[in-house]
């Protein structure tokens, strides 16, 4: 009988924690930078997000941009969205 009470309390605690974590994940996913609709917008958004990371070097940015050039059409979008930040990284690193 005692074990049933302990197990019941443990199950209740686990259910509450899982509900809390589910709500936290949903709130976290819905807040912050909204992700773009299509693949090219998403790729430009992701590249710019990485470029804006503190401490990025010109070599890091070059690697990111080389990967992005595999999707040629995205380069214009990247330049429009964060071209100034990319140029600033190269100026600061030079």
């Amino acid at each position: 009988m005692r074990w049933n009470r302990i197990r019941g309390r443990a199950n209740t605690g686990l259910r509450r924690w899982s509900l809390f974590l589910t709500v936290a994940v949903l709130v976290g996913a819905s807040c912050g930078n909204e992700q773009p609709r299509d693949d090219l917008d998403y790729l430009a958004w992701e590249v710019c997000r990485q470029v804006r990371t503190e401490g990025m070097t010109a070599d890091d940015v070059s690697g990111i941009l080389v990967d992005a050039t595999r999707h040629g059409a995205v380069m214009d979008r990247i330049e429009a969205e964060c071209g100034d930040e990319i140029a600033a990284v190269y100026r600061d690193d030079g």
Side-chain angles (χ1 to χ4, degrees):
M1 179 129 146
R2 183 174 183 204
W3 285 108
N4 287 337
R5 278 192 305 206
I6 293 172
R7 189 175 30 197
R9 289 180 183 168
N11 286 339
T12 301
L14 288 174
R15 276 188 252 130
R16 287 182 183 162
W17 269 108
S18 64
L19 178 62
F20 170 76
L21 290 175
T22 302
V23 169
V25 167
L26 290 175
V27 168
S30 65
C31 295
N33 294 337
E34 187 174 321
Q35 294 184 5
R37 293 180 291 280
D38 68 8
D39 290 341
L40 288 179
D41 282 343
Y42 175 77
L43 184 58
W45 174 83
E46 180 62 25
V47 166
C48 291
R49 185 191 66 77
Q50 291 179 20
V51 166
R52 291 177 180 131
T53 302
E54 189 175 333
M56 289 298 283
T57 64
D59 288 338
D60 296 335
V61 171
S62 293
I64 293 168
L65 293 176
V66 166
D67 288 342
T69 58
R70 295 179 188 153
H71 310 278
V74 77
M75 294 310 290
D76 291 334
R77 292 184 191 190
I78 291 171
E79 185 177 351
E81 187 173 328
C82 62
D84 294 336
E85 288 101 337
I86 292 170
V89 169
Y90 283 103
R91 277 193 303 269
D92 292 343
D93 208 42

